[in-house]
Coordinates of all heavy atoms in Angstrom, one line a residue:
R1 N -78.8 -33.8 36.7 CA -77.5 -34.6 36.4 C -76.5 -34.3 37.6 O -76.3 -33.1 38.0 CB -76.9 -34.1 35.2 CG -75.7 -34.8 34.7 CD -75.3 -34.6 33.3 NE -74.2 -35.4 33.0 CZ -73.6 -35.5 31.9 NH1 -74.0 -34.8 30.9 NH2 -72.6 -36.3 31.8
I2 N -75.8 -35.3 38.1 CA -74.9 -35.1 39.2 C -73.5 -34.9 38.7 O -73.0 -35.8 38.0 CB -74.9 -36.3 40.2 CG1 -76.3 -36.5 40.7 CG2 -73.9 -36.2 41.3 CD1 -76.5 -37.8 41.4
P3 N -72.8 -33.8 39.1 CA -71.5 -33.6 38.7 C -70.4 -34.6 39.2 O -70.5 -34.9 40.4 CB -71.1 -32.2 39.0 CG -72.0 -31.9 40.2 CD -73.3 -32.8 40.0
M4 N -69.5 -35.0 38.4 CA -68.4 -35.9 38.9 C -67.5 -35.0 39.8 O -67.2 -33.9 39.5 CB -67.6 -36.4 37.7 CG -68.5 -37.3 36.8 SD -68.9 -38.8 37.6 CE -67.4 -39.7 37.5
S5 N -67.0 -35.6 40.8 CA -66.0 -35.0 41.7 C -64.7 -34.8 41.0 O -64.3 -35.7 40.2 CB -65.8 -35.7 43.0 OG -64.8 -36.5 42.9
L6 N -64.0 -33.7 41.1 CA -62.8 -33.4 40.5 C -61.7 -34.3 41.1 O -61.6 -34.5 42.3 CB -62.4 -32.0 40.6 CG -63.4 -31.0 39.9 CD1 -63.1 -29.6 40.3 CD2 -63.4 -31.3 38.5
V7 N -60.7 -34.7 40.2 CA -59.6 -35.6 40.7 C -58.7 -34.7 41.7 O -58.2 -35.2 42.7 CB -58.8 -36.0 39.5 CG1 -57.5 -36.7 40.0 CG2 -59.6 -37.0 38.7
E8 N -58.7 -33.4 41.4 CA -57.8 -32.5 42.3 C -58.4 -32.6 43.7 O -57.6 -32.4 44.6 CB -57.8 -31.1 41.7 CG -57.1 -30.9 40.4 CD -58.2 -30.8 39.3 OE1 -59.3 -30.3 39.5 OE2 -57.8 -31.4 38.2
D9 N -59.7 -32.7 43.9 CA -60.2 -32.6 45.3 C -59.8 -33.9 46.1 O -59.4 -33.7 47.2 CB -61.7 -32.6 45.2 CG -62.3 -31.3 44.8 OD1 -61.5 -30.2 44.7 OD2 -63.4 -31.2 44.3
S10 N -59.8 -35.1 45.4 CA -59.4 -36.2 46.2 C -57.8 -36.4 46.3 O -57.4 -37.2 47.2 CB -60.0 -37.5 45.5 OG -59.4 -37.7 44.2
H11 N -57.1 -35.8 45.5 CA -55.7 -35.9 45.5 C -55.0 -34.6 46.1 O -53.8 -34.5 45.9 CB -55.1 -36.2 44.2 CG -55.5 -37.5 43.7 ND1 -55.1 -38.8 44.2 CD2 -56.4 -37.9 42.7 CE1 -55.6 -39.8 43.6 NE2 -56.5 -39.3 42.7
N12 N -55.7 -33.8 46.7 CA -55.2 -32.6 47.3 C -54.3 -33.0 48.5 O -54.7 -33.7 49.4 CB -56.4 -31.8 47.9 CG -56.0 -30.5 48.6 OD1 -54.8 -30.3 48.9 ND2 -56.9 -29.6 48.7
P13 N -53.1 -32.5 48.5 CA -52.1 -33.0 49.5 C -52.6 -32.8 51.0 O -52.4 -33.6 51.9 CB -50.9 -32.1 49.3 CG -50.9 -31.8 47.9 CD -52.4 -31.6 47.6
K14 N -53.3 -31.6 51.2 CA -53.8 -31.3 52.5 C -54.9 -32.3 52.9 O -55.0 -32.9 54.1 CB -54.4 -29.9 52.5 CG -54.4 -29.3 53.9 CD -54.8 -27.8 53.8 CE -54.1 -27.1 54.8 NZ -54.3 -25.6 54.7
R15 N -55.8 -32.7 51.9 CA -56.8 -33.7 52.1 C -56.3 -35.1 52.5 O -56.7 -35.8 53.4 CB -57.7 -33.7 51.0 CG -58.8 -34.9 50.9 CD -60.1 -34.4 51.6 NE -61.0 -35.5 51.6 CZ -61.9 -35.8 50.8 NH1 -62.1 -35.0 49.7 NH2 -62.7 -36.8 51.0
V16 N -55.2 -35.5 51.7 CA -54.6 -36.8 51.9 C -54.0 -36.8 53.2 O -54.1 -37.8 53.9 CB -53.5 -36.9 50.7 CG1 -52.6 -38.2 51.0 CG2 -54.2 -37.2 49.4
E17 N -53.3 -35.8 53.6 CA -52.7 -35.8 55.0 C -53.7 -35.9 56.1 O -53.5 -36.6 57.0 CB -51.9 -34.4 55.2 CG -51.1 -34.3 56.4 CD -50.3 -33.0 56.5 OE1 -49.8 -32.6 55.4 OE2 -50.1 -32.5 57.5
E18 N -54.8 -35.2 55.9 CA -55.9 -35.3 56.9 C -56.5 -36.7 56.9 O -56.7 -37.2 58.1 CB -57.0 -34.3 56.6 CG -58.1 -34.2 57.5 CD -59.0 -33.1 57.2 OE1 -58.6 -32.0 56.8 OE2 -60.3 -33.3 57.4
D19 N -56.7 -37.2 55.8 CA -57.2 -38.7 55.7 C -56.2 -39.7 56.4 O -56.7 -40.6 57.0 CB -57.6 -39.1 54.2 CG -58.7 -38.3 53.7 OD1 -59.5 -37.8 54.4 OD2 -58.8 -38.4 52.5
R20 N -54.9 -39.5 56.2 CA -54.0 -40.3 56.7 C -53.9 -40.2 58.2 O -53.8 -41.2 59.0 CB -52.6 -40.0 56.1 CG -52.4 -40.6 54.7 CD -51.0 -40.3 54.2 NE -50.9 -40.9 52.8 CZ -49.9 -40.8 52.2 NH1 -48.8 -40.3 52.7 NH2 -49.8 -41.4 51.0
K21 N -54.2 -39.0 58.8 CA -54.2 -38.7 60.2 C -55.4 -39.6 60.8 O -55.2 -40.2 61.9 CB -54.4 -37.3 60.5 CG -54.2 -37.0 61.9 CD -54.4 -35.4 62.2 CE -55.9 -35.3 62.5 NZ -56.3 -34.1 63.0
Y22 N -56.6 -39.6 60.2 CA -57.7 -40.3 60.6 C -57.4 -41.8 60.6 O -57.8 -42.6 61.5 CB -58.8 -40.0 59.8 CG -59.5 -38.6 60.0 CD1 -59.9 -37.8 58.9 CD2 -59.5 -38.0 61.2 CE1 -60.4 -36.5 59.1 CE2 -60.0 -36.7 61.5 CZ -60.5 -36.0 60.4 OH -60.9 -34.7 60.6
A23 N -56.7 -42.3 59.5 CA -56.4 -43.7 59.5 C -55.4 -44.1 60.6 O -55.5 -45.2 61.1 CB -55.7 -43.9 58.1
I24 N -54.5 -43.2 60.8 CA -53.5 -43.4 62.0 C -54.2 -43.5 63.3 O -54.1 -44.5 64.1 CB -52.4 -42.4 62.0 CG1 -51.5 -42.5 60.8 CG2 -51.5 -42.5 63.3 CD1 -50.6 -41.3 60.6
E25 N -55.1 -42.5 63.5 CA -55.9 -42.5 64.8 C -56.7 -43.8 64.9 O -56.8 -44.4 66.1 CB -56.7 -41.3 65.0 CG -55.8 -40.1 65.2 CD -56.7 -38.8 65.5 OE1 -58.0 -38.8 65.4 OE2 -56.1 -37.8 65.7
A26 N -57.4 -44.2 63.9 CA -58.2 -45.5 63.9 C -57.4 -46.7 64.2 O -57.8 -47.5 64.9 CB -58.9 -45.5 62.6
A27 N -56.2 -46.7 63.6 CA -55.3 -47.9 63.9 C -54.8 -47.9 65.3 O -54.9 -49.0 66.0 CB -54.1 -47.8 62.9
I28 N -54.5 -46.8 65.9 CA -54.1 -46.7 67.2 C -55.2 -47.2 68.2 O -55.0 -47.9 69.1 CB -53.7 -45.2 67.7 CG1 -52.4 -44.8 66.9 CG2 -53.5 -45.1 69.2 CD1 -52.1 -43.4 67.1
V29 N -56.4 -46.7 67.9 CA -57.6 -47.0 68.8 C -57.8 -48.5 68.6 O -58.1 -49.2 69.6 CB -58.8 -46.2 68.4 CG1 -60.1 -46.7 69.1 CG2 -58.6 -44.7 68.9
R30 N -57.8 -49.1 67.4 CA -58.1 -50.5 67.2 C -57.0 -51.3 68.1 O -57.4 -52.3 68.7 CB -57.9 -50.9 65.7 CG -59.2 -50.7 65.0 CD -59.1 -51.5 63.6 NE -57.9 -51.2 62.9 CZ -57.8 -50.2 62.0 NH1 -58.8 -49.3 61.8 NH2 -56.6 -50.0 61.4
I31 N -55.7 -51.0 67.9 CA -54.7 -51.6 68.6 C -54.8 -51.6 70.1 O -54.7 -52.6 70.8 CB -53.3 -51.1 68.2 CG1 -53.0 -51.4 66.7 CG2 -52.1 -51.7 69.0 CD1 -51.9 -50.6 66.0
M32 N -55.1 -50.4 70.6 CA -55.2 -50.2 72.0 C -56.5 -50.8 72.6 O -56.5 -51.3 73.8 CB -55.2 -48.7 72.4 CG -53.8 -48.1 72.2 SD -52.5 -48.9 73.1 CE -52.9 -48.6 74.8
K33 N -57.5 -50.9 71.8 CA -58.7 -51.6 72.3 C -58.5 -53.1 72.5 O -58.9 -53.7 73.4 CB -59.8 -51.4 71.3 CG -61.2 -51.7 71.7 CD -62.3 -51.3 70.8 CE -63.7 -51.5 71.3 NZ -64.7 -51.1 70.4
A34 N -57.6 -53.7 71.6 CA -57.3 -55.1 71.7 C -56.3 -55.3 72.8 O -56.5 -56.4 73.5 CB -56.7 -55.5 70.3
R35 N -55.4 -54.5 73.0 CA -54.3 -54.7 74.0 C -54.5 -54.1 75.4 O -53.9 -54.6 76.3 CB -53.0 -54.2 73.4 CG -52.6 -54.8 72.1 CD -52.0 -56.2 72.3 NE -51.5 -56.7 71.1 CZ -50.3 -56.7 70.6 NH1 -49.3 -56.0 71.4 NH2 -50.0 -57.2 69.5
L36 N -55.3 -53.0 75.4 CA -55.6 -52.3 76.7 C -54.4 -51.5 77.2 O -54.5 -50.3 77.6 CB -56.2 -53.2 77.7 CG -57.5 -53.8 77.4 CD1 -58.0 -54.7 78.5 CD2 -58.5 -52.8 77.0
T37 N -53.2 -52.1 77.4 CA -52.0 -51.4 77.7 C -50.9 -51.7 76.8 O -50.8 -52.9 76.4 CB -51.5 -51.6 79.1 OG1 -51.2 -53.0 79.3 CG2 -52.6 -51.2 80.2
L38 N -50.0 -50.8 76.5 CA -49.0 -51.0 75.5 C -47.9 -50.0 75.6 O -48.1 -48.8 75.9 CB -49.5 -51.0 74.1 CG -48.9 -51.7 72.9 CD1 -48.7 -53.2 73.2 CD2 -49.6 -51.6 71.6
A39 N -46.7 -50.4 75.4 CA -45.5 -49.6 75.5 C -45.5 -48.7 74.2 O -46.0 -49.1 73.1 CB -44.2 -50.4 75.5
H40 N -44.8 -47.5 74.3 CA -44.8 -46.6 73.2 C -44.2 -47.2 71.8 O -44.8 -47.1 70.8 CB -44.0 -45.3 73.6 CG -43.9 -44.3 72.5 ND1 -44.9 -43.5 72.1 CD2 -42.9 -44.0 71.7 CE1 -44.5 -42.7 71.1 NE2 -43.2 -43.0 70.8
Q41 N -43.0 -47.8 72.0 CA -42.3 -48.4 70.9 C -43.2 -49.5 70.2 O -43.2 -49.7 69.0 CB -41.0 -48.9 71.2 CG -39.9 -47.8 71.4 CD -39.8 -46.9 70.2 OE1 -40.2 -45.7 70.2 NE2 -39.3 -47.5 69.1
Q42 N -43.8 -50.3 71.1 CA -44.6 -51.5 70.5 C -45.8 -50.9 69.8 O -46.2 -51.3 68.7 CB -45.2 -52.3 71.7 CG -44.0 -53.2 72.3 CD -44.6 -53.9 73.5 OE1 -45.2 -53.4 74.4 NE2 -44.3 -55.2 73.5
L43 N -46.5 -49.8 70.3 CA -47.6 -49.1 69.6 C -47.1 -48.6 68.3 O -47.8 -48.8 67.3 CB -48.2 -48.0 70.6 CG -49.3 -47.3 70.0 CD1 -50.5 -48.3 69.6 CD2 -49.9 -46.3 71.0
I44 N -46.0 -47.9 68.3 CA -45.5 -47.4 67.0 C -45.3 -48.5 66.0 O -45.7 -48.4 64.8 CB -44.2 -46.6 67.2 CG1 -44.4 -45.4 68.1 CG2 -43.6 -46.2 65.9 CD1 -45.1 -44.2 67.5
A45 N -44.7 -49.6 66.5 CA -44.4 -50.7 65.5 C -45.7 -51.4 65.1 O -45.8 -51.7 63.9 CB -43.6 -51.8 66.3
E46 N -46.7 -51.5 65.9 CA -48.0 -52.0 65.5 C -48.6 -51.2 64.4 O -49.2 -51.6 63.5 CB -48.9 -52.2 66.7 CG -48.5 -53.3 67.6 CD -49.1 -54.7 67.2 OE1 -50.1 -54.7 66.4 OE2 -48.5 -55.7 67.7
V47 N -48.6 -49.9 64.7 CA -49.3 -48.9 63.7 C -48.6 -49.0 62.4 O -49.3 -49.1 61.3 CB -49.2 -47.5 64.3 CG1 -49.7 -46.5 63.2 CG2 -50.2 -47.4 65.5
L48 N -47.2 -49.0 62.4 CA -46.5 -49.1 61.2 C -46.8 -50.4 60.4 O -46.9 -50.4 59.2 CB -45.0 -49.0 61.4 CG -44.5 -47.5 61.8 CD1 -43.1 -47.6 62.3 CD2 -44.7 -46.6 60.8
S49 N -46.9 -51.5 61.1 CA -47.3 -52.7 60.4 C -48.7 -52.8 59.9 O -48.9 -53.4 58.8 CB -47.0 -53.9 61.4 OG -48.0 -54.0 62.5
Q50 N -49.6 -52.2 60.6 CA -51.0 -52.2 60.1 C -51.2 -51.2 59.0 O -52.0 -51.4 58.1 CB -52.0 -51.7 61.2 CG -52.5 -52.9 62.1 CD -53.6 -52.5 62.9 OE1 -54.4 -51.6 62.7 NE2 -53.9 -53.3 63.9
L51 N -50.5 -50.1 58.9 CA -50.6 -49.1 57.9 C -49.5 -49.2 56.9 O -48.8 -48.1 56.6 CB -50.7 -47.7 58.5 CG -51.9 -47.5 59.5 CD1 -51.7 -46.1 60.1 CD2 -53.2 -47.7 58.8
S52 N -49.2 -50.3 56.5 CA -48.1 -50.5 55.5 C -48.3 -49.9 54.1 O -47.4 -49.7 53.4 CB -47.7 -52.1 55.4 OG -48.9 -52.7 54.9
F53 N -49.6 -49.6 53.9 CA -49.9 -49.1 52.5 C -49.5 -47.6 52.3 O -49.4 -47.2 51.2 CB -51.4 -49.2 52.2 CG -52.3 -48.5 53.2 CD1 -52.7 -47.3 53.1 CD2 -52.8 -49.3 54.3 CE1 -53.7 -46.8 53.9 CE2 -53.6 -48.7 55.2 CZ -54.1 -47.5 55.0
F54 N -49.1 -46.8 53.4 CA -48.5 -45.6 53.2 C -47.3 -45.2 54.1 O -46.8 -44.0 54.0 CB -49.6 -44.5 53.2 CG -50.2 -44.1 54.5 CD1 -49.6 -43.3 55.4 CD2 -51.4 -44.7 54.9 CE1 -50.2 -43.0 56.6 CE2 -52.0 -44.5 56.1 CZ -51.4 -43.6 57.0
R55 N -46.9 -46.0 55.0 CA -45.7 -45.8 55.9 C -45.8 -44.4 56.5 O -45.0 -43.5 56.2 CB -44.4 -45.9 55.0 CG -43.1 -45.9 55.7 CD -42.9 -47.2 56.5 NE -41.6 -47.1 57.1 CZ -41.4 -47.8 58.2 NH1 -42.2 -48.6 58.7 NH2 -40.2 -47.7 58.8
P56 N -46.5 -44.3 57.6 CA -46.6 -43.1 58.3 C -45.3 -42.7 59.0 O -44.6 -43.6 59.5 CB -47.8 -43.2 59.3 CG -47.9 -44.7 59.4 CD -47.4 -45.3 58.2
D57 N -45.1 -41.4 59.2 CA -43.9 -40.9 60.0 C -44.1 -41.1 61.4 O -45.2 -40.7 61.9 CB -43.7 -39.4 59.6 CG -42.5 -38.8 60.3 OD1 -41.6 -39.6 60.7 OD2 -42.5 -37.6 60.4
P58 N -43.2 -41.6 62.2 CA -43.4 -41.8 63.6 C -43.8 -40.5 64.4 O -44.4 -40.6 65.4 CB -42.0 -42.4 64.1 CG -41.5 -43.1 62.9 CD -41.9 -42.3 61.7
K59 N -43.2 -39.4 63.9 CA -43.6 -38.1 64.6 C -45.0 -37.8 64.4 O -45.7 -37.3 65.3 CB -42.8 -37.0 63.8 CG -41.3 -37.0 64.2 CD -40.6 -35.9 63.6 CE -39.1 -36.0 63.7 NZ -38.3 -35.0 63.0
V60 N -45.6 -38.1 63.2 CA -47.1 -37.9 63.0 C -47.9 -38.9 64.0 O -48.9 -38.5 64.5 CB -47.4 -38.2 61.5 CG1 -48.9 -38.1 61.3 CG2 -46.7 -37.1 60.8
I61 N -47.4 -40.1 64.1 CA -48.0 -41.1 65.0 C -48.0 -40.6 66.4 O -49.0 -40.6 67.1 CB -47.3 -42.5 64.9 CG1 -47.5 -43.1 63.5 CG2 -48.0 -43.5 65.9 CD1 -46.6 -44.3 63.3
K62 N -46.9 -40.0 66.9 CA -46.8 -39.4 68.1 C -47.8 -38.3 68.4 O -48.4 -38.2 69.4 CB -45.4 -38.9 68.4 CG -45.1 -38.2 69.7 CD -44.5 -39.1 70.7 CE -44.1 -38.3 72.0 NZ -44.9 -38.6 73.2
K63 N -48.0 -37.5 67.4 CA -48.9 -36.3 67.5 C -50.4 -36.9 67.6 O -51.2 -36.4 68.3 CB -48.8 -35.4 66.3 CG -47.6 -34.5 66.3 CD -47.5 -33.7 65.1 CE -46.2 -32.9 65.1 NZ -46.1 -32.0 63.9
C64 N -50.6 -38.0 66.8 CA -52.0 -38.6 66.9 C -52.2 -39.2 68.3 O -53.3 -39.2 68.8 CB -52.1 -39.6 65.8 SG -52.2 -39.0 64.1
I65 N -51.1 -39.8 68.8 CA -51.3 -40.4 70.2 C -51.6 -39.3 71.2 O -52.5 -39.4 72.0 CB -50.0 -41.1 70.7 CG1 -49.9 -42.3 69.8 CG2 -50.0 -41.4 72.1 CD1 -48.5 -43.1 70.0
E66 N -50.9 -38.1 71.0 CA -51.2 -36.9 71.9 C -52.6 -36.4 71.7 O -53.2 -36.1 72.7 CB -50.2 -35.8 71.6 CG -48.8 -36.1 72.0 CD -48.5 -36.4 73.4 OE1 -49.2 -35.8 74.3 OE2 -47.6 -37.2 73.8
A67 N -53.1 -36.4 70.5 CA -54.5 -35.9 70.2 C -55.5 -36.9 70.9 O -56.4 -36.5 71.5 CB -54.7 -35.9 68.7
L68 N -55.2 -38.3 70.9 CA -56.1 -39.2 71.5 C -56.1 -39.1 73.0 O -57.1 -39.3 73.7 CB -55.7 -40.6 71.0 CG -56.1 -40.9 69.5 CD1 -55.4 -42.1 69.1 CD2 -57.6 -40.9 69.3
I69 N -54.9 -38.7 73.6 CA -54.8 -38.5 75.0 C -55.6 -37.3 75.4 O -56.3 -37.3 76.4 CB -53.3 -38.4 75.4 CG1 -52.6 -39.7 75.3 CG2 -53.2 -37.8 76.9 CD1 -51.1 -39.7 75.6
D70 N -55.5 -36.3 74.6 CA -56.3 -35.0 74.9 C -57.8 -35.3 74.8 O -58.6 -34.7 75.5 CB -56.0 -34.0 73.8 CG -54.6 -33.3 74.1 OD1 -54.0 -33.6 75.2 OD2 -54.0 -32.7 73.2
R71 N -58.2 -36.2 73.8 CA -59.6 -36.4 73.7 C -60.1 -37.6 74.6 O -61.2 -38.1 74.5 CB -59.9 -36.8 72.2 CG -59.7 -35.6 71.3 CD -60.3 -35.7 70.0 NE -60.2 -37.0 69.4 CZ -59.5 -37.3 68.3 NH1 -58.7 -36.4 67.7 NH2 -59.6 -38.5 67.7
E72 N -59.2 -38.1 75.5 CA -59.4 -39.1 76.4 C -59.8 -40.4 76.0 O -60.6 -41.2 76.5 CB -60.5 -38.6 77.5 CG -60.0 -37.3 78.3 CD -61.0 -36.9 79.3 OE1 -62.1 -37.4 79.3 OE2 -60.7 -35.9 80.0
Y73 N -59.2 -40.8 74.8 CA -59.3 -42.2 74.4 C -58.1 -43.0 75.0 O -58.3 -44.3 75.3 CB -59.1 -42.3 72.8 CG -60.3 -41.9 72.1 CD1 -60.6 -40.5 71.7 CD2 -61.3 -42.9 71.8 CE1 -61.7 -40.3 71.0 CE2 -62.4 -42.5 71.1 CZ -62.6 -41.2 70.7 OH -63.7 -40.8 70.1
L74 N -57.0 -42.3 75.2 CA -55.8 -43.0 75.9 C -55.4 -42.2 77.0 O -55.7 -41.0 77.2 CB -54.6 -43.1 74.9 CG -54.8 -43.7 73.5 CD1 -53.5 -43.6 72.8 CD2 -55.2 -45.2 73.7
E75 N -54.6 -42.8 77.9 CA -53.9 -42.1 79.0 C -52.6 -42.7 79.2 O -52.3 -43.8 78.9 CB -54.8 -42.1 80.3 CG -54.8 -43.5 80.9 CD -55.6 -43.5 82.3 OE1 -56.0 -42.4 82.7 OE2 -55.7 -44.6 82.9
R76 N -51.7 -41.9 79.8 CA -50.3 -42.5 80.1 C -50.4 -43.3 81.4 O -51.2 -42.9 82.3 CB -49.4 -41.2 80.3 CG -49.0 -40.6 79.0 CD -47.9 -39.6 79.3 NE -47.3 -39.1 78.0 CZ -47.9 -38.2 77.3 NH1 -49.0 -37.6 77.6 NH2 -47.4 -37.8 76.1
D77 N -49.8 -44.3 81.4 CA -49.7 -45.2 82.6 C -48.9 -44.5 83.7 O -47.7 -44.2 83.5 CB -49.1 -46.6 82.2 CG -49.3 -47.6 83.4 OD1 -49.4 -47.2 84.5 OD2 -49.4 -48.8 83.0
Q78 N -49.5 -44.2 84.8 CA -48.9 -43.6 86.0 C -47.7 -44.4 86.5 O -46.7 -43.9 87.0 CB -49.8 -43.2 87.0 CG -51.0 -42.3 86.5 CD -50.5 -40.9 86.1 OE1 -49.5 -40.5 86.6 NE2 -51.2 -40.4 85.1
D79 N -47.9 -45.8 86.5 CA -46.9 -46.7 87.2 C -45.6 -46.9 86.3 O -44.6 -47.0 86.7 CB -47.6 -47.9 87.6 CG -48.7 -47.7 88.5 OD1 -48.6 -46.7 89.3 OD2 -49.8 -48.4 88.5
V80 N -46.0 -47.1 85.0 CA -44.9 -47.6 84.1 C -44.7 -46.4 83.0 O -45.6 -46.1 82.3 CB -45.3 -48.8 83.3 CG1 -44.1 -49.3 82.4 CG2 -45.8 -49.9 84.3
P81 N -43.5 -45.8 83.0 CA -43.2 -44.8 82.0 C -43.2 -45.3 80.6 O -42.9 -46.5 80.4 CB -41.9 -44.3 82.4 CG -41.2 -45.3 83.2 CD -42.4 -46.0 83.9
N82 N -43.6 -44.5 79.7 CA -43.7 -44.8 78.2 C -44.7 -45.9 78.0 O -44.6 -46.6 76.9 CB -42.3 -45.4 77.7 CG -41.5 -44.3 77.1 OD1 -41.9 -43.1 76.9 ND2 -40.2 -44.6 76.8
H83 N -45.8 -46.1 78.7 CA -46.8 -47.0 78.5 C -48.1 -46.2 78.3 O -48.3 -45.2 79.1 CB -46.9 -48.1 79.6 CG -46.1 -49.2 79.3 ND1 -44.7 -49.1 79.4 CD2 -46.3 -50.5 79.0 CE1 -44.2 -50.3 79.2 NE2 -45.2 -51.2 79.0
Y84 N -49.0 -46.7 77.6 CA -50.3 -46.1 77.4 C -51.4 -47.0 77.7 O -51.3 -48.3 77.7 CB -50.6 -45.6 75.9 CG -49.6 -44.7 75.4 CD1 -48.6 -45.0 74.5 CD2 -49.5 -43.4 75.9 CE1 -47.6 -44.2 74.0 CE2 -48.5 -42.5 75.4 CZ -47.6 -42.9 74.5 OH -46.6 -42.1 74.0
K85 N -52.6 -46.5 78.3 CA -53.7 -47.3 78.6 C -54.9 -46.9 77.8 O -55.1 -45.7 77.5 CB -54.1 -47.1 80.1 CG -53.2 -47.8 81.1 CD -53.8 -47.5 82.5 CE -52.9 -48.1 83.5 NZ -53.4 -47.8 84.8
Y86 N -55.7 -47.9 77.3 CA -56.9 -47.5 76.6 C -58.0 -47.2 77.6 O -58.2 -47.9 78.6 CB -57.3 -48.7 75.8 CG -58.6 -48.5 74.9 CD1 -58.6 -47.7 73.9 CD2 -59.8 -49.2 75.3 CE1 -59.7 -47.5 73.1 CE2 -61.0 -49.1 74.6 CZ -60.9 -48.2 73.5 OH -62.0 -48.0 72.7
M87 N -58.7 -46.2 77.3 CA -59.7 -45.7 78.3 C -61.2 -45.9 77.8 O -62.1 -46.1 78.7 CB -59.6 -44.2 78.6 CG -58.3 -44.0 79.4 SD -58.0 -42.2 79.6 CE -59.4 -41.6 80.5
A88 N -61.4 -45.6 76.6 CA -62.9 -45.5 76.1 C -63.6 -46.8 76.1 O -63.5 -47.7 76.8 CB -62.9 -45.0 74.7

């Protein structure tokens, strides 16, 4: 017999926050893959419109952008400040 997963496990605030971070990163990568280059404010606006089901905090979006830059999915545009380029 397979035990049912506990409701507490799926609704754990830490787990929800982690899942939302992955959703934000996935949205950023989808948007940048389609656009290739984009300004910071436009990227934030696109992410907020795509993830309307939980309204992420712009500070969290910024941290996710930084994480994607560290993992070399994105890079800052050297010529235009406040712009990002898709790399992968």
Side-chain angles (χ1 to χ4, degrees):
R1 189 166 182 181
I2 301 172
M4 296 290 286
S5 93
L6 297 174
V7 174
E8 295 98 36
D9 290 343
S10 63
H11 294 290
N12 179 348
K14 206 171 213 177
R15 170 93 186 264
V16 170
E17 188 177 322
E18 187 176 315
D19 289 345
R20 287 181 175 183
K21 188 183 94 172
Y22 292 135
I24 294 168
E25 286 184 358
I28 292 168
V29 170
R30 275 195 309 271
I31 292 163
M32 291 304 295
K33 192 172 187 180
R35 299 286 181 91
L36 298 181
T37 64
L38 202 58
H40 177 75
Q41 284 304 112
Q42 290 175 310
L43 181 56
I44 298 287
E46 288 274 341
V47 171
L48 290 172
S49 70
Q50 275 197 14
L51 299 176
S52 58
F53 57 91
F54 71 86
R55 186 78 180 153
D57 183 21
K59 291 178 185 175
V60 175
I61 298 172
K62 175 99 170 112
K63 287 181 184 176
C64 289
I65 292 170
E66 294 296 328
L68 289 169
I69 289 172
D70 290 342
R71 295 197 320 250
E72 297 182 354
Y73 282 89
L74 304 177
E75 69 177 354
R76 286 189 170 79
D77 194 330
Q78 301 297 327
D79 303 326
V80 186
N82 266 351
H83 274 68
Y84 302 108
K85 288 183 183 178
Y86 179 70
M87 291 175 58

